Amino acid sequence: MSLRTRIALIVAGSVAAAILTISGVTLFAARSQARRTLDGVLEDRAAQLEALDRIPNRGVGERPFGRFVPDDVLVQRIDRRGDIIDANVDPIPVSPADIEVANRQRARHWADVVVDGSKLRVLTVADRNRQAVMLARPLTEIDENLARLRTVMAVVAILGVAGAGGFGFLVAGRAIRPVRRLTSAASAVAATHDFDHPIEVERDDELGDVFAHDIRAQGVSFKSAQAKDGPLTARCLVLVTPDAQRTMNTYLGACIHLARSDVD
């Protein structure tokens, strides 16, 4: 496998890892927010029903939550033994925890249950008649929205990884161009034994222009061509302490391509 291909794969792998992490966090946050919203609706409806003596009968036009409030939850009332007293829906399974709520052994109970293949989010609260009210809403809408979000993220991930791989391949080609040039020159020297094979050792950047100008200003015949790409012009940063201790940080840059032909 070529160096260029390996670099492209590394870039694509890094992008894939980042996308997967972001997607996982996004899905978790979206699911949590959707469930919090649903739980908030159940709690609001529970607060309205706790003060009622019975569940209003929708069949005769009664609305449990008010004239302009949607009847958007499933409701049933159970006694202290867990028997269903009244309901506006087919029976919701009653658990021991729900019976404990009816007997005031706990304040409320949350649960996810499956009824005839449908997933429900259920909240059980005690009412003022020493009974319990169970309210439920389907989780189908949340699951469907999350499924669509997963599909969209999968498409984005595939496109992102493919784009990153292509971009990495192009960038890698430019990055290793000096290596290829050096390899070509080394091959030419090995084949011809001509150690004067030229390789540019100075970049056409601002520092390279300053270097070329100043050395020629001193009367030095400087004919080396400026490289158009590859490493930048070499430089050295010297850190000096108050007691005259020096630390030199040298970047060789384009000097790594110095050849005999560059020296008079």
Side-chain angles (χ1 to χ4, degrees):
M1 183 183 297
S2 67
L3 176 61
R4 183 178 186 182
T5 302
R6 287 199 295 269
I7 293 176
L9 290 177
I10 292 173
V11 172
S14 300
V15 172
I19 291 177
L20 289 175
T21 300
I22 294 173
S23 298
V25 171
T26 300
L27 285 171
F28 178 79
R31 181 179 182 274
S32 298
Q33 182 58 46
R35 290 178 72 92
R36 279 196 298 269
T37 300
L38 186 147
D39 289 351
V41 172
L42 291 176
E43 288 180 333
D44 290 342
R45 300 295 181 260
Q48 295 172 285
L49 287 178
E50 282 175 344
L52 300 180
D53 293 329
R54 65 181 181 83
I55 297 176
N57 188 342
R58 292 189 302 175
V60 296
E62 295 178 341
R63 301 187 64 84
F65 308 115
R67 183 177 177 186
F68 300 107
V69 180
D71 188 4
D72 53 1
V73 296
L74 311 176
V75 183
Q76 76 178 18
R77 194 187 306 270
I78 61 174
D79 61 19
R80 299 175 63 182
R81 295 175 300 179
D83 296 329
I84 298 174
I85 300 172
D86 51 9
N88 69 349
V89 67
D90 291 339
I92 300 173
V94 178
S95 69
D98 299 322
I99 297 175
E100 290 177 3
V101 173
N103 286 276
R104 302 300 191 272
Q105 295 174 352
R106 65 167 67 190
R108 57 180 52 201
H109 173 62
W110 290 96
D112 293 346
V113 301
V114 178
V115 180
D116 295 333
S118 298
K119 293 174 61 178
L120 302 177
R121 180 66 167 165
V122 181
L123 168 62
T124 304
V125 296
D127 66 8
R128 66 179 185 177
N129 298 314
R130 299 190 62 82
Q131 299 168 347
V133 177
M134 301 178 64
L135 303 96
R137 285 195 65 175
L139 290 168
T140 307
E141 183 177 355
I142 293 178
D143 292 342
E144 290 176 350
N145 289 337
L146 290 177
R148 285 193 291 268
L149 183 58
R150 279 193 294 268
T151 300
V152 171
M153 287 188 170
V155 173
V156 171
I158 293 173
L159 294 178
V161 172
F167 179 74
F169 192 77
L170 293 176
V171 172
R174 182 176 180 83
I176 66 175
R177 193 176 300 165
V179 178
R180 288 180 174 175
R181 187 170 63 245
L182 179 61
T183 302
S184 176
S187 299
V189 170
T192 64
H193 301 286
D194 178 11
F195 292 95
D196 293 329
H197 190 84
I199 303 177
E200 297 87 347
V201 296
E202 175 194 359
R203 273 291 304 274
D204 57 345
D205 53 19
E206 182 177 359
L207 196 58
D209 293 339
V210 171
F211 176 81
H213 172 272
D214 289 353
I215 196 171
R216 287 169 181 151
Q218 298 298 319
V220 178
S221 177
F222 184 74
K223 300 180 180 179
S224 295
Q226 290 181 303
K228 300 300 182 183
D229 51 31
L232 298 175
T233 299
R235 64 207 65 192
C236 181
L237 299 179
V238 183
L239 305 179
V240 183
T241 65
D243 59 348
Q245 297 293 321
R246 292 170 171 81
T247 300
M248 300 181 65
N249 300 278
T250 303
Y251 169 66
L252 295 178
C255 289
I256 63 174
H257 300 312
L258 183 68
R260 180 182 295 182
S261 61
D262 296 309
V263 182
D264 188 359

